[in-house]
Amino acid sequence: MDVAMKETRVLAVDFGASSGRVMLGVYDGNRITVQELHRFSNDPVTVNGTMYWDALRLFHEIKQGMVKAKAYGSVQSIGVDTWGVDFGLLDEKGYLLENPVHYRDGRTEGILEKGFLRIPREHFYEITGVQFMEINTAFQLLALLEQRPELLERADCLLLMPDLFNYFLSGVKKSERSIVSTTQMGDPFAPGWVDEVVERFGIPQKILTEVVPTGTCLGPLRKEIQEELGVAPMEVIAVAGHDTQCALTAVPAKEEDFIFVSCGTWSLFGTELECPALAGESEKRNITNEIGAEGRTSFLKNIIGLWLVQESRRQWIREGKEYSFSELEKMAEAAEPFQCLIDPDAPEFVPAGNIPERIREYCRRTGQKEPQTIGEFVRCINESLALKYRYTLEEIKACTHKDYHVIHMVGGGIQSGLLCRFTAYASGIPVIAGPVEATVFGNIAIQLMAKGVIRDLKEARKVIADSEQPVVYEPQDREEWDRVYQFYKENILGK
C-alpha cells in the first residue's frame, strides 16, 4: 500500500491573543508532524471606546489556510481552538449582531462585587469551580445586561469564540465543553450549564446552546464553503475549544501526577485531576477547574504571563526602540539578578498600555529599586513569573496533598530559555520543556481521537512524546532562590 494512503491529514486552526495559525497535521501511524500553512496577526480594533475582536477577518484567514492546504493532498477534518471567555451573539437568522468584545475591554471593571450580590462568592465557587476573574463570560454578560440590555434582547444565540468559528464552518450551533468551562456558567461534573447562575444573573436561557463533549464531530464543512474555496469535503470537529486544554492534551507526561505550565500571553499553571475540587483550600485560593479531553479536570491558576514582555515590547517600539524577543532575552541575561520584583497579577498590569512605566510605579510603591534599562525590565518580569510559579505550585500542593517531581512547560513561551531556567531554579525541581506547538499537537490529537485513529488520551500523549524532543532544565542556586522567594512571598505577595 502507498505510504500516503496510511496517512491522516487534518487542519488545526489555533488562535492566540495576538496571532493565529492554520497548521497541517499529518499522522503516519507512529508520529505526528506539523507544518505551518498560514500565519496572521490577531489585532483588536477599538471603536467608540470599545475593544473588539475582528471576527470576520479572522474567519477570512481560516479560509486562506484552507486554500493553501489544497497543495498537500486531501484533508479529513478541521478543528478550531481559541482563547477563553469571549463570545459572539447571533440573531434568529444566524447573523452576527456585532463583533465580539475583547476581554481586555473595560466594560467589566468592578463587576465582581455586583455578581457576588446575586450569588455569594463561596457558593458561586461550589457550583462552578472556576477562578473568579472579571473577564469571565458570566461577568461579561452581567455587564452587558447592565449597559446594553437591548443587545441581549435581540440575541437568539450565544456562541463562544471557537464555537462561533465552528458554526461559520459547519452551520451547527453547539457549545463545546472545555470552552464552556471557562465561562463560570458551566457544570463542572457533566456537559451542561449551571441553571442557578443563568437565572440569578438574568441571562436569557434561550441564547445558550447544547453543550457537547470535547471531540464531538459536528458535521461536514458547509457546501457553499467547499464551492467557494474549491476544497474537498472535510469534517468539522469540536476539539478542546479552549487552547489551554488542547495544550494540556499534548503534555508528554509519563507520571500520573505532574505539574504543567501552558506558557504564552497567559501562563496556565496546574495539574490534572480525575474530578473537580470545589471546596476548602481550592475555593480559598481561587483555583479553577476546567474540563478537557476525556472529561478530565485541569486544576489550574490563570497567571498573567509573557503578556508583560509582549506589551512592554510594544511600548518600546512606540518609543522607537525595536528589539526582537531574542535580543530582549540577551539584555535580560546581562542584567543584574533580583534588583526588583513584581506580582504579575497585580491589577495595573492587566490593561494594555505602558507596562514599563507601571512596573516603575509598582517598584516605587513597594520601596524597591526602579529598573532603568530594558534588560532590567525583562529580567524583573521573568524572575517574578518564575517566583509566582513557585507560589502557585505550593498552592496546588496544599489543595491536592500531593508531591510533584517535574514541571512540564509547553507552548510558545518555552522559546524563552531564560524563563524555563528560572522556573527550574525557583521551584527546585526539573523542568521538561516541549512541545512548543503544544496547542496545535493537542488540537490534532483530539481530531485523531474523534476519528478513532488514536485510541485515547494516553496513546495521544505517547504519540506526541515520540514526535518531539523536549529540553530538560535542572534546578540550580537553590539557596539564593530560596532566600529571594521568602522575600517575594512576604514583601511582594504579602503572604
Side-chain angles (χ1 to χ4, degrees), residues 306-328 353 355-356 374 378 381:
L306 291 172
W307 153 260
L308 295 170
V309 175
Q310 296 162 356
E311 189 65 8
S312 294
R313 179 174 178 264
R314 280 188 277 271
Q315 177 61 32
W316 292 322
I317 290 173
R318 287 191 287 268
E319 296 171 358
K321 296 173 284 190
E322 185 163 356
Y323 299 101
S324 68
F325 287 109
S326 62
E327 288 173 325
L328 293 177
I355 295 295
I374 288 176
V378 179
I381 291 168

Side-chain angles (χ1 to χ4, degrees), residues 250-268:
V251 171
K254 297 177 182 177
E255 311 84 2
E256 184 68 26
D257 297 317
F258 62 90
I259 291 291
F260 69 89
V261 189
S262 179
C263 187
T265 300
W266 289 83
S267 291
L268 294 308

Side-chain angles (χ1 to χ4, degrees), residues 333 338 379 383 386-387 390 407 417-431 473-482 485:
E333 289 267 20
F338 307 127
R379 187 165 190 120
E383 289 175 344
L387 291 163
R390 173 167 171 175
I407 296 175
L418 188 70
L419 181 58
C420 294
R421 289 204 312 276
F422 285 177
T423 301
Y425 299 170
S427 64
I429 56 178
V431 165
Y473 298 86
E474 296 289 348
Q476 296 180 21
D477 303 327
R478 288 291 301 278
E479 289 186 6
E480 178 71 357
W481 279 88
D482 285 348
Y485 176 66

Side-chain angles (χ1 to χ4, degrees), residues 18-63:
S18 59
S19 66
R21 298 93 49 76
V22 179
M23 307 283 283
L24 176 68
V26 180
Y27 178 55
D28 65 5
N30 296 298
R31 292 178 173 82
I32 297 170
T33 57
V34 299
Q35 180 176 347
E36 184 178 295
L37 302 180
H38 185 54
R39 177 181 286 268
F40 47 92
S41 65
N42 183 7
D43 303 303
V45 180
T46 300
V47 180
N48 293 332
T50 298
M51 183 182 289
Y52 297 97
W53 298 104
D54 196 350
L56 299 183
R57 186 185 72 81
L58 296 179
F59 187 60
H60 167 77
E61 301 292 359
I62 293 176
K63 289 181 178 180

Side-chain angles (χ1 to χ4, degrees), residues 409-453:
M409 291 183 70
V410 299
I414 68 170
Q415 294 174 92
S416 170
L418 188 70
L419 181 58
C420 294
R421 289 204 312 276
F422 285 177
T423 301
Y425 299 170
S427 64
I429 56 178
V431 165
I432 300 176
V436 171
E437 296 291 1
T439 305
V440 171
F441 272 105
N443 182 317
I444 292 165
I446 292 169
Q447 291 186 61
L448 296 173
M449 290 162 62
K451 297 175 70 63
V453 178

Side-chain angles (χ1 to χ4, degrees), residues 67 126 374 395 413 435:
V67 169
E126 287 175 354
I374 288 176
E395 290 191 295

